[in-house]
C-alpha cells in the first residue's frame, strides 16, 4: 500500500490525516459522496468503497465508569458494552452522549475518527481487526475513510486489542 498525499479540504486536511502524515504512517484515503439520508454511516462507506463490512470499522464513544472511551468495531456487527468495560478494567459501560462525544473528540457524529482526536481517549480495537491486512476507519469527516494496517491503528491510538464486537 503506497502512501497517498492527503486530500486537501478547505481546512488543509483533517486532524486524522494530519496525525497519520506526522507519524509517517502508510495509509490510503478513500473519499465518497456521503448521502445524508443513509441510515448507517459505516454500511454506506463499505458499499461506496466496495469493501466488505467486516473490514470497515466504526468509531463509537462510550462512557465507562464516568470516563469516555473509544471503541472501534466492524460496521457488520455491534459493540458489546460489557466486553468494552471489561477490556479497560471497568464495571459499567453505556453509549456516551453524542454532544459530549463530539465536543471531546472534535469530530461530528458519523465522522468521528479514532485518530487525531481533540482529547486523546482510551481506545479499544476489536480483535477481529487483526485478521485483515488493512482496515478502514473514518478519516475525520463523513464521506472520507482512511485505510491502514490494524497494527498501525493500534500503535497510533495506544489501543488495547480485545474481543468487544458482536456479530
Amino acid at each position: 500500500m503506497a502512501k497517498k498525499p492527503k486530500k486537501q479540504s478547505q481546512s488543509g486536511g483533517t486532524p486524522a490525516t494530519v496525525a497519520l502524515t506526522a507519524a509517517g504512517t502508510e495509509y490510503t484515503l478513500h473519499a465518497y459522496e456521503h448521502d445524508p439520508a443513509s441510515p448507517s454511516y459505516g454500511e454506506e462507506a463499505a458499499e461506496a468503497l466496495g469493501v466488505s463490512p467486516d473490514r470497515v470499522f466504526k468509531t463509537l464513544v462510550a462512557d465507562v465508569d464516568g470516563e469516555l472511551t473509544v471503541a472501534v468495531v466492524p460496521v457488520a456487527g455491534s459493540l458489546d458494552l460489557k466486553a468494552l468495560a471489561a477490556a479497560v478494567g471497568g464495571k459499567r459501560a453505556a453509549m456516551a452522549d453524542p454532544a459530549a462525544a463530539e465536543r471531546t473528540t472534535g469530530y461530528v457524529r458519523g465522522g468521528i475518527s479514532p485518530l487525531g482526536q481533540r482529547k486523546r481517549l482510551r481506545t479499544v480495537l476489536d480483535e477481529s481487526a487483526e485478521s485483515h491486512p488493512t482496515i478502514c476507519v473514518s478519516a475525520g469527516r463523513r464521506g472520507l475513510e482512511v485505510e491502514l494496517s490494524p497494527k498501525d491503528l493500534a500503535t497510533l491510538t495506544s489501543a488495547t486489542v480485545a474481543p468487544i464486537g458482536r456479530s
Side-chain angles (χ1 to χ4, degrees):
M1 171 173 49
K3 183 188 282 187
K4 287 189 176 180
K6 65 184 178 184
K7 293 195 186 239
Q8 296 293 318
S9 69
Q10 290 181 349
S11 64
T14 68
T17 60
V18 169
L20 285 162
T21 301
T25 302
E26 285 190 26
Y27 66 95
T28 304
L29 279 179
H30 300 283
Y32 62 93
E33 192 64 37
H34 166 63
D35 177 3
S38 179
S40 167
Y41 298 114
E43 289 176 10
E44 176 192 31
E47 186 175 320
L49 301 177
V51 175
S52 172
D54 66 340
R55 279 193 50 229
V56 178
F57 282 64
K58 55 191 169 187
T59 305
L60 303 172
V61 181
D63 180 319
V64 179
D65 297 337
E67 181 183 347
L68 292 182
T69 303
V70 171
V72 184
V73 296
V75 301
S78 61
L79 171 62
D80 181 335
L81 288 165
K82 287 183 180 183
L84 175 65
V88 296
K91 292 181 182 178
R92 294 186 56 228
M95 294 308 297
D97 173 66
E102 290 179 344
R103 190 173 46 253
T104 304
T105 64
Y107 293 117
V108 297
R109 209 168 55 131
I112 294 177
S113 178
L115 301 157
Q117 296 177 356
R118 180 178 291 149
K119 178 183 178 193
R120 191 171 187 166
L121 299 175
R122 183 186 305 191
T123 301
V124 182
L125 175 62
D126 184 62
E127 69 180 4
S128 68
E130 294 181 319
S131 67
H132 305 286
T134 61
I135 60 171
C136 296
V137 296
S138 175
R141 70 173 168 81
R142 296 172 187 153
L144 189 64
E145 294 282 309
V146 62
E147 181 178 351
L148 74 166
S149 79
K151 182 179 178 186
D152 285 343
L153 178 62
T155 298
L156 290 170
T157 60
S158 301
T160 298
V161 177
I164 60 167
R166 283 191 283 205
S167 310

